[in-house]
């Protein structure tokens, strides 16, 4: 017989069920996972040696937890995944508003029902997925919302005086008894509301409108906060911080490989995009490098952070740009081009907070600068580094390519070009083939044309070529040829 088939208190006692606090549930199930070598937070990347061990230590210590970090660092996701560490089902007194434990009821309703029906008291089972409550802290949140208040309508309908505790309407926290309760953006909660949490965190009980009421709630609290909010919009009051057992600092991905994994996992792509659009490995690295450049940029507010959501939405935009181009050109499938990165600018400008200098330059300029810097950073990893100062007359691997451009008025790659035309134009620049063969001999054939274009953009960043963007596409030129030839 499954435990969930039990429907009365008497049968529950006979089955030998023992009450366990929610913090003990989390602790015991985490211990089982650790012994088995089963990861408890699947899908969270980059935290394996930093955040997750600290979170597991906090759970083993039965602490309430504050996840402190900048935007887009998976704080809320971590909190939600803690549900997987709960027991699959727990029994509750049927009809209870606050998930009363049949063996240890705390509400007047449950206590009176058990007193009346004894072992025949009906019970029901709550799945762990239903044992999660979440509240976004906003300035308009009241004590009545999260703790509770007297309900005059209930008093009138039941013909009870306001002195009767049955007129109480429970708030979100009592209704989340025996659950994980998450308060997001805790500093945004007004100080007087934060004070209302003191007793719940320390003594585990609540007080409503002066009633002599003690509800020893059994809860796991998880808070999330952005350190910038401490000085910008509000703060966590010191006595509340003192009552939170563990404060865990989150962070952004430490390397491009981890960032790529997160973006690939989280991007919301249409199946047809995934099938019809090929994304070169270098393009994926370049996309992630833009976020790394933004986090170090003088134009971007570092304290505000650059969310991982920027890379995710930029990746979606990149594929949509390539898809739209292919549809207009009549191509059934296509490969992402470097010029398609112009389509990720809206994803960048909407995700970064600019400092004063960045505002003066403009969001589009900053986005383009981040892309240029990303190309310049990655270029030496694929092709020979171009030194700022070169000895006069010294040969470089790029001399033939620069000479090729010197003898032409311009080289255009148009957005409207289909793949055949685009590739034929790049094939005209034969020195590009030499560079690819010499420095990327093992390249995937599908990546060749992206890397050819990457060489051109890289030479622009090192002032060996000039680039001009106009409505129809991109033009590359020798930066000095027009002056020497007297044009």
């Amino acid at each position: 017989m499954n435990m969930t088939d039990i429907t009365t208190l008497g049968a529950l006692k006979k089955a030998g069920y023992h009450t366990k606090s929610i913090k003990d549930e989390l602790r015991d199930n985490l211990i089982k996972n650790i012994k088995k070598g089963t990861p408890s937070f699947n899908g969270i990347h980059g935290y394996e040696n930093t955040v997750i061990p600290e979170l597991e230590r906090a759970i083993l210590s039965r602490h309430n937890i504050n996840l402190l970090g900048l935007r887009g660092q998976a704080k809320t996701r971590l909190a939600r995944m803690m549900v997987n560490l709960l027991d699959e089902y727990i029994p509750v007194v049927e009809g209870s508003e606050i998930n009363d434990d049949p063996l240890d009821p705390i509400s007047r309703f449950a206590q009176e029902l058990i007193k009346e029906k004894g072992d025949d008291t009906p019970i029901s089972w709550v799945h762990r997925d239903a044992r999660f409550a979440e509240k976004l802290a906003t300035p308009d949140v009241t004590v009545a919302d999260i703790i509770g208040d007297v309900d005059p309508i209930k008093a009138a309908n039941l013909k009870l005086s306001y002195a009767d505790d049955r007129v109480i309407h429970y708030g979100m926290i009592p209704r989340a008894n025996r659950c994980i309760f998450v308060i997001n953006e805790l500093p945004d909660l007004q100080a007087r509301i934060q004070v209302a949490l003191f007793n719940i965190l320390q003594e585990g009980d609540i007080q409503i409108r002066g009633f002599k009421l003690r509800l020893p709630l059994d809860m796991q609290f998880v808070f999330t906060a952005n350190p910038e909010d401490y000085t910008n919009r509000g703060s966590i009051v010191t006595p509340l911080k003192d009552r939170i057992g563990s404060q865990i600092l989150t962070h952004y991905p430490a390397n491009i490989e981890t960032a790529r994994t997160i973006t690939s996992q989280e991007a919301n792509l249409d199946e047809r995009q995934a099938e019809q659009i090929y994304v070169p490995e270098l393009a994926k690295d370049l996309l992630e490098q833009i976020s790394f450049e933004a986090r170090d940029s003088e134009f971007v507010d570092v304290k505000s952070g650059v969310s991982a959501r920027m890379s995710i939405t930029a990746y979606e935009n990149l594929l949509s740009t390539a898809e739209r181009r292919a549809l207009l050109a009549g191509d059934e499938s296509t490969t992402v081009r470097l010029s398609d990165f112009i389509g990720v600018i809206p994803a960048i400008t909407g995700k970064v907070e600019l400092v004063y200098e960045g505002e003066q330059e403009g969001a589009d300029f900053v986005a383009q600068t981040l892309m240029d810097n990303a190309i310049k950073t990655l270029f030496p990893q694929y092709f020979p580094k171009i030194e700022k100062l070169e000895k006069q007359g010294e040969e470089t691997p790029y001399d033939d390519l620069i000479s090729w451009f010197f003898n032409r008025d311009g080289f255009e790659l148009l957005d409207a070009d289909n793949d055949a035309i685009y590739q034929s134009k790049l094939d005209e620049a034969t020195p590009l083939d030499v560079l690819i063969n010499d420095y990327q001999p093992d390249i995937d054939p599908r990546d060749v044309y992206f890397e050819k274009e990457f060489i051109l953009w890289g030479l622009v960043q090192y002032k060996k070529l000039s680039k001009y963007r106009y409505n129809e596409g991109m033009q590359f030129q020798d930066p000095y040829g027009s002056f020497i030839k007297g044009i």
Side-chain angles (χ1 to χ4, degrees):
M1 180 182 180
N2 291 327
M3 291 293 284
T4 52
D5 293 331
I6 295 172
T7 57
T8 64
L9 176 57
L12 186 68
K13 291 177 180 176
K14 188 180 289 187
Y17 179 83
H18 294 287
T19 296
K20 188 189 296 185
S21 75
I22 185 170
K23 287 184 168 68
D24 283 330
E25 281 183 57
L26 292 166
R27 174 184 161 80
D28 291 349
N29 290 320
L30 176 61
I31 289 172
K32 289 178 185 176
N33 284 354
I34 293 174
K35 286 182 176 179
K36 292 178 184 176
T38 304
S40 300
F41 298 93
N42 279 319
I44 301 295
H45 304 283
Y47 286 172
E48 293 83 359
N49 300 312
T50 53
V51 175
I52 289 176
E54 291 189 2
L55 185 56
E56 290 180 342
R57 286 193 285 270
I59 292 171
L60 292 173
S61 299
R62 301 184 184 89
H63 284 173
N64 292 313
I65 298 164
N66 181 28
L67 296 170
L68 180 64
L70 297 173
R71 64 180 75 176
Q73 292 184 350
K75 300 186 293 294
T76 303
R77 173 166 293 193
L78 282 169
R80 290 175 178 173
M81 292 187 75
M82 286 176 61
V83 170
N84 298 324
L85 292 173
L86 295 173
D87 292 344
E88 188 172 7
Y89 287 96
I90 61 165
V92 299
V93 175
E94 194 168 279
S96 169
E97 291 182 87
I98 60 172
N99 298 323
D100 275 289
D101 182 348
L103 301 179
D104 186 21
I106 59 174
S107 73
R108 176 169 174 172
F109 164 82
Q111 290 169 350
E112 290 184 349
L113 184 64
I114 291 172
K115 185 176 181 180
E116 176 189 343
K117 297 193 174 183
D119 285 350
D120 293 328
T121 302
I123 67 170
S124 56
W125 294 83
V126 177
H127 191 264
R128 60 184 166 217
D129 289 345
R131 297 175 62 197
F132 179 87
E134 187 175 355
K135 178 63 179 171
L136 176 62
T138 54
D140 62 334
V141 173
T142 65
V143 173
D145 293 332
I146 61 171
I147 306 297
D149 204 349
V150 171
D151 186 349
I153 296 175
K154 184 186 285 188
N157 288 340
L158 297 177
K159 297 186 169 126
L160 298 171
S161 86
Y162 287 169
D164 193 311
D165 61 13
R166 285 173 292 180
V167 304
I168 292 173
H169 173 78
Y170 293 114
M172 289 187 69
I173 289 178
R175 289 176 182 274
N177 183 38
R178 303 173 74 197
C179 297
I180 296 171
F181 191 84
V182 178
I183 298 182
N184 282 315
E185 308 300 340
L186 181 60
D188 283 347
L189 206 62
Q190 292 185 48
R192 64 186 181 83
I193 311 302
Q194 293 184 35
V195 169
L197 299 175
F198 288 0
N199 261 37
I200 300 171
L201 289 174
Q202 191 65 43
E203 286 79 25
D205 60 34
I206 62 169
Q207 301 171 2
I208 299 176
R209 286 289 183 182
F211 275 99
K212 291 182 179 179
L213 175 72
R214 186 176 187 276
L215 292 179
L217 299 175
D218 176 26
M219 303 185 69
Q220 171 67 53
F221 280 95
V222 181
F223 305 100
T224 72
N226 187 322
E228 175 67 4
D229 293 340
Y230 284 19
T231 56
N232 196 20
R233 295 200 297 264
S235 64
I236 301 177
V237 298
T238 303
L240 181 59
K241 283 194 287 184
D242 185 53
R243 285 168 166 81
I244 300 173
S246 291
Q247 178 168 279
I248 298 170
L249 302 180
T250 58
H251 57 83
Y252 288 122
N255 52 63
I256 285 180
E257 290 74 18
T258 303
R260 274 182 54 170
T261 302
I262 295 170
T263 299
S264 176
Q265 174 181 283
E266 300 300 321
N268 183 22
L269 303 179
D270 187 284
E271 288 183 6
R272 290 166 293 184
Q273 286 180 325
E275 292 171 359
Q276 297 172 8
I277 301 168
Y278 173 71
V279 186
E281 296 303 305
L282 175 54
K284 295 176 182 177
D285 288 348
L286 185 58
L287 188 80
E288 301 301 339
Q289 186 63 37
I290 293 172
S291 294
F292 282 81
E293 297 294 336
R295 289 170 192 143
D296 291 330
S297 173
E298 61 181 348
F299 297 127
V300 176
D301 185 356
V302 179
K303 293 185 294 182
S304 182
V306 178
S307 169
R309 286 183 282 269
M310 189 180 88
S311 294
I312 296 165
T313 54
Y315 186 68
E316 293 165 351
N317 265 12
L318 179 63
L319 267 69
S320 296
T321 303
E323 181 183 34
R324 180 179 181 276
R325 170 177 52 73
L327 290 170
L328 291 172
D331 290 328
E332 289 295 324
S333 61
T334 190
T335 298
V336 165
R337 305 174 187 173
L338 212 161
S339 49
D340 291 331
F341 271 72
I342 203 72
V344 310
I345 287 179
I348 299 173
T349 56
K351 292 287 191 297
V352 295
E353 295 288 334
L354 303 180
V355 296
Y356 176 76
E357 291 81 359
E359 296 286 358
Q360 293 297 104
E361 295 290 352
D364 282 354
F365 173 84
V366 172
Q368 186 63 60
T369 300
L370 296 177
M371 289 170 54
D372 293 343
N373 291 344
I375 293 169
K376 193 170 184 178
T377 299
L378 292 184
F379 190 81
Q381 299 177 24
Y382 290 81
F383 298 98
K385 186 177 181 181
I386 300 174
E387 301 294 342
K388 287 185 178 179
L389 297 176
E390 296 173 347
K391 294 180 181 178
Q392 188 172 3
E394 183 178 10
E395 291 186 359
T396 74
Y398 307 103
D399 289 346
D400 290 343
L401 181 59
I402 294 169
S403 297
W404 189 88
F405 274 94
F406 180 81
N407 295 316
R408 283 160 179 76
D409 293 336
F411 177 78
E412 294 181 342
L413 295 175
L414 303 181
D415 295 340
D417 289 343
N418 61 30
D419 282 351
I421 295 174
Y422 167 77
Q423 292 172 11
S424 67
K425 286 183 177 180
L426 286 171
D427 286 339
E428 290 176 14
T430 52
L432 288 173
D433 292 312
V434 176
L435 288 167
I436 296 289
N437 291 334
D438 288 349
Y439 300 103
Q440 294 293 320
D442 301 324
I443 188 175
D444 187 320
R446 296 174 295 176
D447 292 10
V448 167
Y449 290 97
F450 186 89
E451 294 211 7
K452 284 185 176 183
E453 193 177 354
F454 179 69
I455 293 172
L456 301 182
W457 284 62
L459 292 180
V460 170
Q461 301 314 312
Y462 288 96
K463 307 295 189 293
K464 298 297 183 181
L465 294 178
S466 63
K467 172 172 62 71
Y468 174 66
R469 173 75 195 181
Y470 57 102
N471 291 336
E472 288 77 21
M474 202 80 65
Q475 184 181 66
F476 296 89
Q477 291 180 321
D478 180 273
Y480 312 111
S482 59
F483 298 101
I484 295 173
K485 289 182 284 189
I487 299 176

